[in-house]
Structures are given as C-alpha cells and as structure tokens.
Amino acid sequence: MRTPFSLLAERWQPSAAMVRRAAFAALVMSVVIVVTGGAVRLTASGLGCTTWPRCTGDSLTPTPEMGFHGVVEFTNRMLTYVLSAAVGWAILAARCHRPWRHSMTRLGWAQFWLVMSNAVLGGITVLTGLNPYTVAGHMIAAMALVWVALLMWERSKEGDGPARLSVARPIHQLSYVLVAVVGLLVAAGTLVTGAGHHPGTPQDNKIVPRIPIDYDRLAQFHADFAFVSVGLTIALIFVFAAVKAPPAAKARTKELLAVLLLQGVLGFIQYFTDAPELMVGLHMLGATLTWIAALRIPLALRTREEVALEQLPTQTPQTAAV
C-alpha cells in the first residue's frame, strides 16, 4: 500500500545531517512561539483579535481600527504556520531518510498534534477572555511541545538500539526527579503570571479575570521551587563527579545551574521593579531554556547504538499512514 510519503521517499533521501537540522529547526521554532506568545501578553495584545479562528466576527485578518494590538496578536497566530512548516519538514526528513527510523517519525507527528491542540487551546483562551487558567494551560502545552521537539533532536544524533544506562539506575532516576521539580517550577511560574501584573490587555480593562490568590504568596511559592531546583542541581554535580558520570552529563548539569542562577537574578529584579515587560519577557525565555537544560541531563546518562534497519521496511496498514 503506497502513500504520498512512501512515493516521496522513493525520490528523496535526505542525509542524517539534514534530519538533524530539520529537528533542530522545529526545536528553535517551538522556543520562538513561546517567546512571541509572551510578547502578545506583555504588549497587552491578548485580545487584539477579538475572536477565533477569525480575527473579528467579519474578518480573518485585523482591521485598521484594531491598530497595534491586532497586528501583534495576528502575527503570533501566523507564526503558528511557520512552526507547522518546521515540524512538517522534520516529519518529511525523518520519513524519507534511509534507513527509515519509525521512532523519529512518531516524534515528528507527536509535535504536529501538539501544535494543533495548542492552537485550539489558544483559541479557547481568546474565547474565554484570557482566563488565567487557560493561559497557564496554553503555556504548559507549549512546554510539552518543546520537550518532544528536544527529544526528536537528541534522538536524531543517536542510534535506534535499546537505551543503555551509563550510571546506576537510582542516579538516573534522580535526574528525572530534577526534571520533575523544574517542571513544577515552570508550572508555578504560570500561576504567578495568572495573578500578576500583565493580564494581556490594557490596564484600564478590568474584565480579564485573575487567579484569586495573593500575588506575593504565589511568587514565594515559585521561588521555593527555584531554591529546590538549585539545591538538587548542585547535589547532582557532586554525585556525577563521585560516580564518574559521562562528561556530557556533567557539562549539562553545570549549564542548568548557570541558567537557574541567571533566572533567579532576573526573577528578583522583576519582582522588586514591579515586573517591567522586558524583564518578564527575558524571564519567559529563560524558563524555556531552563526546561531544555533540565531535560537534556537524563538524555546524557544513556546511550543508544545503531541497529541494522531494512532500507525499505514493509508497510502495514498501521505504518503506511506514517
């Protein structure tokens, strides 16, 4: 059973280097969409387009009357198509590469469905008037996309053999504890945003709901996770030195510590300067880089060897669609 993908694969076989570049492009765009989404909120353009999927009830694009805010919101929506194109390139490159690695195409399609579902969630965010809980869910879904995009990029540099741990299993599990804590740190940050200074609309708009919890308490809750994250990272640095962990794992743990400390500095400046837009934007970028740095640590603690794969795997109805 032939599909458009299999026909294309007969005519185009990208190199392994091209697959890696395509996976990296998808990762970069997943970070860009987080930052531009933050820019929409920080410029008070969250309702620049008043509905979804149209920009207004009568127009797909912003009208001149909508001004700057309409342009910002609509531009962010259009960047979703750029992100989709990057993910599509990664899927096609992985599918047409020889030998065909099914695990890579599955990761590519996982990104596609995350992009589509997050686009719908973004629409729900607009339709609910920037409800802070849907805004937080939108951010967390974007971080899930970053996770899968990073995994695809890292896997593009490995083989498809079974994973072999380079350290004892408890140490590997400890690295996942660190990932979980950093994930909670990011999630707590979305709650601070939901109660904070930038609801996503002009300050004179009192309609947008906020999380009904004291901002200072949520900020302290967020900072507590930051302190735990820093402590665990320092502990892992010493553990990795004691057990002679792979050099890549040691380097990535130090990178995470550096990013966490920088994030801490940005967070304190942001808190004591009444959250200026530029500082919040940098903090959002830093949160994404922190998440990536944490996720890369467990991936450096195992190896995957190349395995013999057939040049043209036999397709079944289950695999033909991939």
Side-chain angles (χ1 to χ4, degrees):
M1 180 179 175
R2 288 191 167 188
T3 68
F5 293 104
S6 61
L7 292 173
L8 179 62
E10 292 175 2
R11 293 164 175 77
W12 178 53
Q13 288 84 42
S15 65
M18 180 174 287
V19 175
R20 287 194 293 272
R21 286 195 295 270
F24 185 69
L27 174 61
V28 169
M29 278 307 305
S30 70
V31 175
V32 168
I33 206 71
V34 172
V35 176
T36 58
V40 171
R41 179 170 58 83
L42 295 172
T43 57
S45 303
L47 295 178
C49 286
T50 56
T51 188
W52 184 87
R54 292 173 174 267
C55 191
T56 71
D58 302 318
S59 176
L60 287 172
T61 60
T63 61
E65 294 77 15
M66 302 173 72
F68 171 76
H69 298 305
V71 171
V72 172
E73 164 67 1
F74 187 73
T75 300
N76 185 62
R77 292 188 184 189
M78 291 300 99
L79 281 175
T80 301
Y81 292 101
V82 180
L83 170 62
S84 298
V87 172
W89 179 31
I91 292 172
L92 290 176
R95 174 62 182 86
C96 296
H97 176 65
R98 289 293 177 265
W100 175 17
R101 297 175 60 185
H102 296 253
S103 60
M104 291 287 290
T105 52
R106 284 194 291 268
L107 289 170
W109 280 111
Q111 290 180 70
F112 172 80
W113 290 115
L114 280 169
V115 171
M116 294 301 103
S117 60
N118 210 16
V120 173
L121 184 55
I124 294 172
T125 299
V126 172
L127 295 175
T128 57
L130 303 184
N131 181 285
Y133 300 105
T134 59
V135 172
H138 196 38
M139 176 67 173
I140 291 172
M143 288 299 185
L145 174 63
V146 171
W147 185 357
V148 179
L150 173 68
L151 184 57
M152 184 177 185
W153 179 54
E154 291 286 350
R155 288 296 306 276
S156 70
K157 299 179 285 184
E158 303 175 324
D160 260 345
R164 300 180 183 277
L165 295 183
S166 304
V167 295
R169 185 168 297 277
I171 296 175
H172 188 246
Q173 292 171 337
L174 181 60
S175 70
Y176 276 112
V177 171
L178 175 59
V179 169
V181 172
V182 171
L184 292 172
L185 170 66
V186 173
T190 66
L191 296 179
V192 176
T193 295
H197 301 76
H198 302 286
T201 59
Q203 292 295 328
D204 57 356
N205 186 341
K206 304 301 183 182
I207 300 175
V208 176
R210 311 303 292 147
I211 293 177
I213 302 177
D214 183 71
Y215 175 77
D216 291 335
R217 289 188 178 182
L218 282 175
Q220 183 60 58
F221 181 65
H222 181 49
D224 290 342
F225 276 112
F227 292 136
V228 174
S229 298
V230 170
L232 274 174
T233 303
I234 294 173
L236 268 183
I237 290 175
F238 284 105
V239 169
F240 286 171
V243 301
K244 296 182 174 57
K250 295 178 181 178
R252 292 179 184 186
T253 309
K254 293 174 182 177
E255 290 168 4
L256 174 60
L257 179 61
V259 176
L260 281 170
L261 293 177
L262 178 59
Q263 273 291 87
V265 172
L266 289 175
F268 277 111
I269 295 175
Q270 174 183 315
Y271 181 80
F272 290 110
T273 56
D274 205 26
E277 288 81 357
L278 178 60
M279 295 303 301
V280 177
L282 291 174
H283 201 56
M284 287 188 67
L285 174 60
T288 310
L289 298 179
T290 301
W291 180 230
I292 290 174
L295 289 170
R296 294 185 72 210
I297 294 173
L299 297 177
L301 296 175
R302 88 285 187 275
T303 58
R304 290 180 182 271
E305 302 297 332
E306 296 286 350
V307 295
L309 295 175
E310 61 272 23
Q311 290 296 311
L312 289 172
T314 302
Q315 289 187 336
T316 66
Q318 289 76 23
T319 62
V322 182

